[in-house]
């Protein structure tokens, strides 16, 4: 290799190193800028989320709306932060936004079910078939509504399990809301032996009901009637109105009290019987 060739190679290496140094500096500056944008962005997102919750709390916004709007705001701000970070790295945001929009259309077509769930969430918030805190039943799944998010409603069951149900299904399906009304009616059917004095049994039940302050006199007073003459028992129907929150406690307590009181008063409960006649 001649001296000229050596000098030429040396110059090329020098130019390459200078270019690498310049690009490394630019890349390092872009990375530092992106990190700063990320940190500042996360701080602003947290502040805006807190501000949004504070504003909704101050205006007494329904908890169902708060959880939905909070989820929507957080997702929207996170997408904007991602676009800002990409821009800080030197990528043209207009091109990235166009690419993101195209990808969004493709993803939207692939995830059309989630779009229907989002629309279902809006319908739930608009027409309010249920709200946060209500106890509902949907296709055999029962629980208290804990959150209404963008795509799902979260139920907490009585045994503390979390159930995620798509909003689209809830907005178009049959939902039973046990908490929508302030009062509910409790029904019992008590069976007694044939030959029991119905009027006496009725008086005993009335006495038991009168001692429970949770039983309401409105919209109707307690109702007692002879429901049917069954195969092995005389069935007595009892209906009372209670506050929705007292429904199960009254139901179970009354079963226990009636059982104890009937035994004390000598009112017998029937057993299934079969009489066989020989010819």
């Amino acid at each position: 290799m001649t001296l000229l060739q050596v000098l030429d190679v040396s110059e090329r290496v020098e130019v390459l190193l200078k270019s690498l140094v310049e690009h490394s500096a630019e890349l390092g500056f872009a990375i530092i800028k992106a990190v700063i944008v990320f940190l500042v962005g996360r701080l602003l997102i947290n502040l805006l989320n807190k501000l949004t919750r504070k504003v909704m709390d101050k205006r007494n916004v329904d908890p169902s709306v708060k959880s939905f709007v909070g989820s929507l705001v957080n997702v929207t701000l996170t997408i904007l932060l991602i676009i800002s970070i990409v821009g800080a790295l030197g990528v043209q945001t207009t091109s990235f936004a166009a690419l993101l929009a195209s990808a969004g259309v493709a993803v939207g077509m692939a995830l059309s079910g989630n779009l229907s769930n989002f629309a279902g969430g809006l319908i739930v918030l608009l027409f309010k078939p249920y709200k946060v805190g209500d106890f509902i039943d949907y296709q055999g799944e029962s629980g208290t509504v804990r959150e209404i998010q963008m795509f799902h409603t979260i139920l907490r069951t009585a045994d503390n399990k979390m159930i995620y149900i798509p909003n689209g299904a809830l907005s178009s399906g049959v939902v039973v809301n046990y908490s929508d009304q302030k009062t509910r009616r409790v029904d019992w059917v008590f069976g007694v032996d044939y030959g029991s004095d119905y009027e006496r049994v009725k008086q005993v039940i009335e006495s038991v009901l009168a001692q429970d302050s949770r039983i309401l006199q409105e919209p109707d007073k307690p109702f007692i009637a002879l429901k049917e003459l069954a195969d092995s028992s005389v069935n007595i129907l009892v209906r009372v109105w209670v506050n929705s929150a007292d429904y199960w406690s009254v139901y179970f307590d009354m079963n226990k009290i009636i059982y104890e009181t009937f035994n004390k008063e000598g009112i017998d409960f029937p057993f299934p019987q079969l009489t066989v006649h020989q010819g």
Side-chain angles (χ1 to χ4, degrees), residues 99-112 115:
L99 179 63
L100 188 64
S102 301
V105 172
V107 172
M109 294 177 64
L111 302 177
S112 58
L115 295 180

Side-chain angles (χ1 to χ4, degrees), residues 19-141:
S19 177
L20 287 174
V21 170
E22 290 176 356
H23 283 83
S24 297
E26 292 177 1
L27 180 60
F29 178 72
I31 291 176
I32 292 173
K33 187 166 63 171
V35 171
I36 294 174
V37 169
F38 171 76
L39 295 176
V40 174
R42 288 307 308 172
L43 178 62
L44 289 175
I45 288 176
N46 290 335
L47 290 175
L48 288 173
N49 283 333
K50 290 180 181 178
L51 179 62
T52 302
R53 287 193 296 267
K54 186 178 294 184
V55 170
M56 289 191 291
D57 288 338
K58 187 175 181 180
R59 297 190 178 184
N60 295 321
V61 176
D62 187 273
S64 306
V65 177
K66 283 196 293 186
S67 60
F68 187 89
V69 172
S71 177
L72 180 60
V73 168
N74 186 61
V75 170
T76 302
L77 292 176
T78 301
I79 293 175
L80 293 176
L81 176 59
I82 293 173
I83 295 175
S84 300
I85 293 173
V86 171
L89 289 172
V91 180
Q92 292 294 328
T93 55
T94 53
S95 302
F96 180 75
L99 179 63
L100 188 64
S102 301
V105 172
V107 172
M109 294 177 64
L111 302 177
S112 58
N114 280 333
L115 295 180
S116 69
N117 291 334
F118 177 77
L122 294 177
I123 292 173
V124 168
L125 293 178
L126 181 62
F127 294 101
K128 298 184 182 300
Y130 58 85
K131 59 184 183 299
V132 171
D134 285 353
F135 189 87
I136 66 172
D137 181 277
Y138 174 73
Q139 292 187 351
E141 300 291 350

Side-chain angles (χ1 to χ4, degrees), residues 2-260:
T2 64
L3 179 60
L4 291 176
Q5 289 176 330
V6 171
L7 291 175
D8 183 56
V9 171
S10 177
E11 288 178 0
R12 290 183 180 181
V13 170
E14 184 179 352
V15 171
L16 179 61
L17 290 174
K18 186 182 294 185
S19 177
L20 287 174
V21 170
E22 290 176 356
H23 283 83
S24 297
E26 292 177 1
L27 180 60
F29 178 72
I31 291 176
I32 292 173
K33 187 166 63 171
V35 171
I36 294 174
V37 169
F38 171 76
L39 295 176
V40 174
R42 288 307 308 172
L43 178 62
L44 289 175
I45 288 176
N46 290 335
L47 290 175
L48 288 173
N49 283 333
K50 290 180 181 178
L51 179 62
T52 302
R53 287 193 296 267
K54 186 178 294 184
V55 170
M56 289 191 291
D57 288 338
K58 187 175 181 180
R59 297 190 178 184
N60 295 321
V61 176
D62 187 273
S64 306
V65 177
K66 283 196 293 186
S67 60
F68 187 89
V69 172
S71 177
L72 180 60
V73 168
N74 186 61
V75 170
T76 302
L77 292 176
T78 301
I79 293 175
L80 293 176
L81 176 59
I82 293 173
I83 295 175
S84 300
I85 293 173
V86 171
L89 289 172
V91 180
Q92 292 294 328
T93 55
T94 53
S95 302
F96 180 75
L99 179 63
L100 188 64
S102 301
V105 172
V107 172
M109 294 177 64
L111 302 177
S112 58
N114 280 333
L115 295 180
S116 69
N117 291 334
F118 177 77
L122 294 177
I123 292 173
V124 168
L125 293 178
L126 181 62
F127 294 101
K128 298 184 182 300
Y130 58 85
K131 59 184 183 299
V132 171
D134 285 353
F135 189 87
I136 66 172
D137 181 277
Y138 174 73
Q139 292 187 351
E141 300 291 350
S142 301
T144 302
V145 179
R146 183 174 178 180
E147 287 185 51
I148 301 175
Q149 296 185 344
M150 288 180 59
F151 303 115
H152 295 84
T153 291
I154 303 176
L155 301 185
R156 182 177 62 194
T157 64
D159 56 350
N160 208 30
K161 292 185 296 187
M162 308 304 292
I163 301 177
Y164 293 77
I165 303 178
N167 289 332
L170 286 168
S171 66
S172 59
V174 178
V175 178
V176 181
N177 189 335
Y178 294 100
S179 305
D180 187 61
Q181 301 297 315
K182 292 183 178 179
T183 58
R184 289 181 64 189
R185 194 184 73 190
V186 190
D187 294 4
W188 296 273
V189 175
F190 298 117
V192 297
D193 272 343
Y194 273 94
S196 299
D197 186 339
Y198 167 72
E199 291 300 329
R200 179 168 173 267
V201 173
K202 182 179 179 181
Q203 289 176 0
V204 170
I205 296 175
E206 287 175 340
S207 176
V208 170
L209 298 178
Q211 296 176 26
D212 196 324
S213 60
R214 297 170 296 180
I215 294 176
L216 307 176
Q217 301 301 311
E218 297 291 339
D220 290 311
K221 294 182 179 180
F223 174 81
I224 304 173
L226 200 159
K227 181 176 184 293
E228 62 181 342
L229 303 177
D231 293 339
S232 303
S233 64
V234 177
N235 292 335
I236 299 174
L237 174 66
V238 180
R239 291 175 174 170
V240 303
W241 286 88
V242 299
N243 291 320
S244 295
D246 295 330
Y247 181 90
W248 287 112
S249 59
V250 171
Y251 179 83
F252 291 122
D253 289 349
M254 196 57 59
N255 281 337
K256 179 175 180 293
I257 294 171
I258 288 293
Y259 177 75
E260 294 174 346

